[in-house]
Amino acid sequence: MKDLNTPITDEDLLNLNIGDQITISGTIYTGRDAALPQLVELIKEKKVPFDLNGSVIMHTAFSNAGIAPTTSSKVEIESTIPYLSENGIKIHIGKGMLSDETIKELDKNNSIFVITPPVAALLTSKVLDKKCVLFESEGMEAMFKLKVERIPGIVAIHNGLSI
């Protein structure tokens, strides 16, 4: 098990391989179908109110029931991954397969895709604090900033390779 702390650096990713089991601690952001395309627009307009460099985004909504990954290959999510990686996101956490083109873009931007078990009780127990930071009108699909301790995952895409 390899432990990572945010913000994630290029050096952190050098020591990872496909299939590695990892944990992530620190700050992660949530986003899915409603929030991620809006985040891309804010980046283009240079209006993101926080630094994305070295950050982690989990493809999930957040409710009082907890968190669990959503399918990352949905068009509204996967289409944002290359641009978000180009603009500082180092780790995307979700579930499912991504296209060959997205795999190439992740490699080009030295970013990775991590899958995590879709076990809401486990993942939610790792959240120490939450705060809505963008798109509050989207409800549970708003973008949240989470303080987490040891969110588990498996490196699924790295260096142009996929698990």
Side-chain angles (χ1 to χ4, degrees):
M1 186 78 66
K2 296 180 180 180
D3 299 317
L4 300 175
N5 293 292
T6 64
I8 305 299
T9 65
D10 287 338
E11 293 75 33
D12 291 330
L13 301 183
L14 283 175
N15 299 316
L16 296 179
N17 297 298
I18 296 294
D20 282 352
Q21 295 180 19
I22 65 169
T23 65
I24 300 170
S25 297
T27 297
I28 69 171
Y29 295 95
T30 67
R32 54 176 284 167
D33 313 43
L36 294 179
Q38 291 181 75
L39 178 60
V40 166
E41 289 307 311
L42 286 182
I43 293 169
K44 289 177 180 177
E45 296 168 6
K46 298 184 180 355
K47 293 183 178 179
V48 178
F50 44 85
D51 188 6
L52 291 174
N53 288 314
S55 61
V56 175
I57 286 190
M58 181 180 224
H59 303 151
T60 187
F62 197 101
S63 74
N64 290 334
I67 61 172
T70 193
T71 303
S72 300
S73 61
K74 290 190 266 184
V75 170
E76 299 86 356
I77 296 174
E78 186 168 359
S79 66
T80 68
I81 292 173
Y83 193 80
L84 293 174
S85 296
E86 184 179 318
N87 284 278
I89 306 294
K90 287 294 179 188
I91 299 177
H92 302 265
I93 304 173
K95 68 178 186 178
M97 293 179 54
L98 299 178
S99 71
D100 290 343
E101 184 173 317
T102 300
I103 292 169
K104 288 176 189 172
E105 289 296 317
L106 285 166
D107 184 41
K108 177 178 143 186
N109 295 303
N110 196 31
S111 295
I112 66 173
F113 180 63
V114 170
I115 55 174
T116 192
V119 183
L122 169 68
L123 297 175
T124 304
S125 74
K126 305 296 183 181
V127 177
L128 305 176
D129 191 37
K130 70 173 181 172
K131 177 183 177 185
C132 182
V133 292
L134 288 172
F135 321 122
E136 188 172 359
S137 65
E138 298 293 350
M140 67 183 215
E141 285 205 28
M143 191 166 189
F144 285 84
K145 177 180 179 180
L146 307 179
K147 181 178 179 187
V148 300
E149 186 173 322
R150 299 181 54 85
I151 290 278
I154 298 171
V155 177
I157 298 175
H158 188 26
N159 291 327
L161 303 173
S162 175
I163 203 166

